[in-house]
């Protein structure tokens, strides 16, 4: 059963152990934070354990520095029968200034599963506000594009074996 929570923000402090060879926070660390926020948001919406089915369109637009306060905002933008599309924005700032700047953006698809790991129904989200309707429509367009990309990728699989 959904508790109706459609969005949330997780906060992290970028630590020295999060840094790559270039001195900025490692992209893999950012992807872990994204996955944690997507899970927390999907579980809050669905009231169920959820697994990551897809993370795509990840855009790293600005670096995150050690000591930055990082905010990972997750918002449900579409529900299927068992899946939830979550839009993620990652922002960072010096905690002394709290001057947030966008660093990363992506879409994550989470699937609710039962105790046996089988997909299970999620509560439907029906947008009513114009901005929410546009977000849902964008998620549907992206879903259709992913199907086309998936078909193209299948052509490459035979060459990778």
């Amino acid at each position: 059963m959904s508790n109706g929570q459609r969005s949330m923000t997780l906060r992290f402090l970028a630590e020295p152990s999060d840094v790559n060879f270039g001195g900025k926070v490692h992209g893999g660390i950012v992807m872990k934070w994204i996955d944690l926020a997507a899970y927390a948001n999907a579980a809050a919406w669905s009231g169920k354990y959820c697994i990551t089915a897809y993370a795509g369109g990840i855009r790293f637009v600005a670096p995150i520095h050690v000591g930055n306060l990082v905010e990972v905002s997750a918002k449900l933008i579409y529900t299927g029968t068992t899946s939830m599309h979550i839009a993620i924005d990652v922002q960072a700032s010096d905690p002394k200034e709290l001057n947030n700047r966008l660093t990363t953006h992506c879409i994550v698809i989470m699937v609710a599963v039962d105790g046996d790991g089988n997909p299970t129904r999620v509560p439907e989200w029906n947008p009513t506000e114009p901005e929410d309707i546009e977000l849902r429509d964008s998620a549907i367009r992206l879903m259709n594009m992913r199907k086309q990309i998936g078909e193209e990728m299948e052509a490459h699989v035979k060459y990778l074996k």
Side-chain angles (χ1 to χ4, degrees):
M1 175 151 196
S2 169
N3 71 11
Q5 184 164 346
R6 199 180 135 224
S7 63
M8 65 175 50
T9 299
L10 303 185
R11 291 177 178 86
F12 304 91
L13 197 59
E15 302 178 65
S17 60
D18 298 332
V19 173
N20 62 20
F21 293 112
K24 309 295 187 292
V25 171
H26 193 286
I29 298 291
V30 177
M31 291 169 67
K32 176 183 175 183
W33 294 336
I34 287 168
D35 194 53
L36 291 171
Y39 168 77
N41 194 200
W45 176 262
S46 68
K48 300 175 182 179
Y49 180 71
C50 300
I51 58 173
T52 307
Y54 176 86
I58 298 175
R59 299 204 45 152
F60 295 99
V61 296
I64 299 172
H65 305 281
V66 169
N68 278 176
L69 180 62
V70 181
E71 295 187 357
V72 185
S73 299
K75 180 184 260 188
L76 180 105
I77 61 170
Y78 175 80
T79 55
T81 305
T82 62
S83 66
M84 295 152 283
H85 295 221
I86 311 290
I88 305 282
D89 280 333
V90 181
Q91 297 195 30
S93 65
D94 181 325
K96 297 182 298 297
E97 299 170 6
L98 295 178
N99 229 0
N100 274 355
R101 68 191 189 297
L102 182 68
T103 65
T104 311
H105 175 76
C106 69
I107 301 292
V108 178
I109 301 174
M110 304 296 291
V111 174
V113 295
D114 63 19
D116 296 322
N118 298 312
T120 185
R121 293 185 77 83
V122 299
E124 185 177 4
W125 174 63
N126 292 304
T128 56
E129 299 297 319
E131 178 183 327
D132 290 338
I133 291 168
E134 179 54 36
L135 286 170
R136 185 219 36 217
D137 292 349
S138 174
I140 292 168
R141 287 191 300 272
L142 287 169
M143 190 169 37
N144 292 331
M145 284 189 250
R146 276 192 301 280
K147 287 178 187 173
Q148 291 176 325
I149 291 169
E151 291 167 7
E152 285 296 321
M153 292 302 289
E154 286 298 317
H156 296 263
V157 171
K158 65 183 175 186
Y159 298 111
L160 299 174
K161 293 183 180 180

